[in-house]
Amino acid sequence: MLNTTPALEFKSSTFFAPILILYTNDLAAIEQTLHEKINLAPEFFKDSPLIIDLRELNKQNQDLDFTQIIQLLRRVSFFPVGIRGGNESQNKQARALFIPIDTVREQGNTITVGAEAPKQETAPQPAAQLETAAIKELVRPIPIPPVAATATLVTQPIRSGQRIYAAGDLIILSQVSAGAEIMAEGNIHVYNTLRGRALAGVHGNTAARIFCFDLQAELISIAGDYKTSEDLNKQTYKNPVQIYLQNHALIIKEIA
């Protein structure tokens, strides 16, 4: 009997990884700061994939030995999985180390839909060119507004080691245990005790919020800005709170 099971398949997925933005090429300073950050949330950063952003560094024309930074990151238990904003030399070094280059999200590749170009005086066009332009206008695709992602509802407890991801809002009706991780591109609602790690607005949505009945989290984050358990006010325990971002600072406010 023939085995019809395929050997493999590809599926699209949303992959979350922290982005490391470098502002200096001082390896000693980078290593010291990395250790300080890791000590705040060791379980969150342990064996974490990482994307290296070199745009700010290259704006300052600071050279960087890419091989050394990769070795440093691996030494502190990070796994670099991509680079963006690198120059030709840095990209070449990345390829030699089998580090993928993210060119899709580079600044300057963004297309603004609906923006009007500045009007310029142009010379009269020949009839053939005018006809071609008219045809292009007729077949120009009509922009379709994006469809908002629906909310994801979870009714079961989120246990230690589990990871939940939602493309829109994430609504959880049970507790989130220590060691669990919940992530959403939109808001996070936990109608119970929130332990573990909660990351809202993971694609940069600074308007995202986190709501929970009892905040005892190991780490909370909105659009990349985060606080660890050491930074949380224990007075909020057993009280419903909302967490939002204001001037790159996480604000934790009780819900009356």
Side-chain angles (χ1 to χ4, degrees):
M1 186 174 181
L2 295 176
N3 184 4
T4 57
T5 304
L8 56 83
E9 64 177 341
F10 286 101
K11 287 187 177 181
S12 62
S13 176
T14 302
F15 178 72
F16 172 79
I19 297 172
L20 176 66
I21 303 174
L22 295 177
Y23 295 95
T24 178
N25 59 2
D26 186 338
L27 294 176
I30 292 172
E31 184 169 10
Q32 179 181 346
T33 308
L34 281 173
H35 282 297
E36 292 172 356
K37 296 289 186 182
I38 292 170
N39 289 337
L40 292 174
E43 290 303 316
F44 175 73
F45 289 115
K46 182 181 179 182
D47 297 333
S48 173
L50 195 70
I51 295 174
I52 306 168
D53 191 321
L54 300 175
R55 287 176 294 186
E56 294 299 326
L57 193 68
N58 287 328
K59 283 179 183 178
Q60 305 171 43
N61 295 319
Q62 294 191 40
D63 195 19
L64 178 73
D65 189 319
F66 193 73
T67 302
Q68 288 189 352
I69 193 66
I70 293 297
Q71 291 174 348
L72 168 58
L73 292 172
R74 288 173 176 167
R75 192 163 61 246
V76 295
S77 298
F78 280 112
F79 287 90
V81 295
I83 172 181
R84 69 183 186 186
N87 56 35
E88 184 177 349
S89 173
Q90 292 159 349
N91 289 345
K92 183 178 180 180
Q93 293 179 66
R95 291 189 187 96
L97 295 170
F98 303 102
I99 304 293
I101 299 168
D102 181 3
T103 56
V104 176
R105 298 177 180 83
E106 294 281 354
Q107 287 184 345
N109 288 350
T110 304
I111 300 174
T112 304
V113 178
E116 293 187 2
K119 294 182 179 180
Q120 298 179 353
E121 295 294 330
T122 57
Q125 293 179 306
Q129 292 184 14
L130 290 173
E131 183 179 355
T132 302
I135 294 172
K136 286 183 178 179
E137 180 64 24
L138 287 174
V139 299
R140 179 174 58 87
I142 300 173
I144 300 174
V147 178
T150 57
T152 299
L153 175 64
V154 179
T155 59
Q156 301 298 321
I158 311 300
R159 305 190 185 281
S160 179
Q162 286 186 302
R163 174 177 286 186
I164 304 295
Y165 189 100
D169 287 0
L170 177 60
I171 303 171
I172 299 175
L173 302 184
S174 192
Q175 70 174 1
V176 179
S177 300
E181 186 172 69
I182 56 176
M183 298 178 288
E185 295 178 21
N187 305 307
I188 291 178
H189 303 257
V190 180
Y191 296 103
N192 209 302
T193 301
L194 171 57
R195 300 183 179 90
R197 300 178 289 277
L199 299 88
V202 294
H203 280 184
N205 180 6
T206 56
R209 298 195 177 206
I210 298 173
F211 304 87
C212 68
F213 279 3
D214 181 10
L215 180 63
Q216 300 185 34
E218 300 166 2
L219 180 142
I220 52 173
S221 170
I222 296 177
D225 290 292
Y226 68 90
K227 282 187 176 183
T228 62
S229 57
E230 291 82 2
D231 303 319
L232 302 182
N233 187 349
K234 303 300 187 292
Q235 293 177 352
T236 61
Y237 280 17
K238 306 296 182 182
N239 294 320
V241 298
Q242 63 167 318
I243 303 152
Y244 57 92
L245 196 59
Q246 189 175 75
N247 297 325
H248 293 286
L250 289 182
I251 307 299
I252 301 174
K253 187 176 180 179
E254 290 189 20
I255 302 174

